[in-house]
Amino acid sequence: MKKTRNTQKQDFVIDILTNAKHTMSVEAILKAMPIKVNKTTVYRILERFAEKGKVHFVTGEDGKAYYALCNDCNIKHEMHNHIHFQCKSCKKVTCLPYEIDVPELKNFEIQETQFLMIGICDMCIS
Amino acid sequence: MKKTRNTQKQDFVIDILTNAKHTMSVEAILKAMPIKVNKTTVYRILERFAEKGKVHFVTGEDGKAYYALCNDCNIKHEMHNHIHFQCKSCKKVTCLPYEIDVPELKNFEIQETQFLMIGICDMCIS
DNA sequence: GTATTATTGCAACATTGTTGCTTTAGTGTA
DNA sequence: TACACTAAAGCAACAATGTTGCAATAATAC
């Protein structure tokens, strides 16, 4: 296992994701940063956290990656079988408390799952 | 309903997707074209077909859009509740014959679904 | 304090997709 | 067939997201 260091910027990313009510794009995380941080830094912080299982991400319909803290992942081979919802109005991607039963696929090795539903969220539907 | 025209290039796109064993990126479709076609043209052809329900697309983990012919869609509000599988080895995205039971979400308007599983496909697992 | 090296910053780049505008070419009508 | 209309295609420039290599900075161990 590679050695790691604790840095203020990593802590800020964790703080931001902890307080987030929905998954966040890198752009959104950058804007939420209380200090100036380079985008490459945020990409690499998230990359490291994803490897460690601290965060997970979904790819939105828009092709952008959206990150969220992992609440109950095991460190390795974590599966994220809950559903994400992307709102076409406010663009936010939310983790929903629904689990999907993943079918067993013979001769396929499943490493990750991304279940995304797209439409209008409860906040925007009014 | 807007008038449409039949063109050779549109036909080629349909031919290519018909013969495809898996979903295709715009880049792959361009390469498969027997004649030179501008990428904007392919994007717009696919956009029109998606509106008409002739094709559907999934966004891969890589953020790219992958297109496939629709076999049994109704023209409007089509739902594509089958699973797609993206292979990390060969990068191909395949439509799998599994349907997902979509939960009812109160106060959410669900317009589309994208269920993606990521790993190693049966051709690459050897 | 000093050495080591993980982390960050910077600049340049790659890729995917989009936009505005002009040109080309299907289609209907005479 | 000739013409008008306009959908479709082409082109160039752009935007957004994400990546890479390398130099600078700073966290940790000694």
Side-chain angles (χ1 to χ4, degrees):
Chain A
M1 192 71 156
K2 218 180 181 183
K3 278 179 194 168
T4 56
R5 292 175 184 174
N6 291 323
T7 67
Q8 195 191 27
K9 289 165 192 186
Q10 288 177 146
D11 290 346
F12 280 141
V13 171
I14 294 293
D15 286 350
I16 289 165
L17 289 179
T18 303
N19 294 324
K21 293 190 187 68
H22 41 79
T23 66
M24 294 183 81
S25 65
V26 171
E27 192 197 6
I29 294 170
L30 272 171
K31 279 187 190 162
M33 276 285 180
I35 54 172
K36 195 172 171 291
V37 183
N38 190 278
K39 66 173 179 171
T40 308
T41 301
V42 173
Y43 276 108
R44 294 206 255 231
I45 287 174
L46 291 167
E47 190 179 50
R48 291 194 299 267
F49 284 173
E51 272 172 19
K52 282 196 233 165
K54 273 195 182 181
V55 305
H56 71 277
F57 75 95
V58 236
T59 309
E61 193 206 21
D62 53 14
K64 288 164 67 174
Y66 290 86
Y67 292 83
L69 276 195
C70 285
N71 299 315
D72 47 10
C73 308
N74 16 358
I75 304 299
K76 288 176 189 175
H77 301 113
E78 73 278 4
M79 299 278 276
H80 301 285
N81 297 345
H82 61 276
I83 301 177
H84 292 88
F85 188 90
Q86 181 167 37
C87 179
K88 284 197 172 176
S89 173
C90 64
K91 312 293 181 194
K92 286 177 185 164
V93 177
T94 317
C95 297
L96 295 179
Y98 292 93
E99 291 282 322
I100 291 289
D101 279 328
V102 177
E104 300 240 346
L105 297 176
K106 269 194 180 173
N107 300 320
F108 281 70
E109 183 193 326
I110 300 165
Q111 296 171 345
E112 298 167 52
T113 57
Q114 294 200 353
F115 300 116
L116 184 66
M117 299 176 69
I118 299 124
I120 308 294
C121 77
D122 55 347
M123 298 303 290
C124 292
I125 207 161
S126 61
Chain B
M1 193 71 158
K2 219 179 182 182
K3 277 179 196 169
T4 56
R5 290 174 187 177
N6 292 324
T7 67
Q8 196 191 25
K9 291 167 190 185
Q10 289 177 146
D11 291 345
F12 280 141
V13 171
I14 293 293
D15 287 349
I16 289 166
L17 289 179
T18 304
N19 294 325
K21 292 190 188 69
H22 41 80
T23 65
M24 295 183 81
S25 65
V26 170
E27 191 196 7
I29 294 169
L30 272 170
K31 279 187 188 161
M33 277 282 179
I35 54 173
K36 195 173 169 293
V37 184
N38 190 279
K39 67 172 179 171
T40 307
T41 301
V42 173
Y43 276 107
R44 286 178 181 156
I45 287 174
L46 290 167
E47 189 180 50
R48 290 195 298 269
F49 285 172
E51 271 173 20
K52 281 195 234 165
K54 274 194 180 180
V55 305
H56 71 277
F57 74 95
V58 235
T59 308
E61 194 206 20
D62 53 13
K64 288 165 66 175
Y66 290 86
Y67 292 82
L69 277 194
C70 285
N71 300 315
D72 47 9
C73 308
N74 16 359
I75 304 300
K76 288 179 188 174
H77 301 112
E78 75 279 3
M79 299 279 275
H80 301 285
N81 297 344
H82 61 276
I83 302 177
H84 292 88
F85 188 90
Q86 180 168 37
C87 180
K88 284 197 173 177
S89 173
C90 65
K91 312 293 180 194
K92 285 174 186 166
V93 178
T94 317
C95 295
L96 295 178
Y98 291 94
E99 292 280 324
I100 292 288
D101 279 327
V102 178
E104 300 239 348
L105 298 177
K106 267 194 183 174
N107 300 319
F108 282 70
E109 184 192 327
I110 300 165
Q111 295 171 347
E112 297 166 52
T113 58
Q114 295 200 353
F115 300 117
L116 184 66
M117 298 175 69
I118 299 125
I120 309 295
C121 76
D122 54 347
M123 299 303 289
C124 292
I125 207 161
S126 60

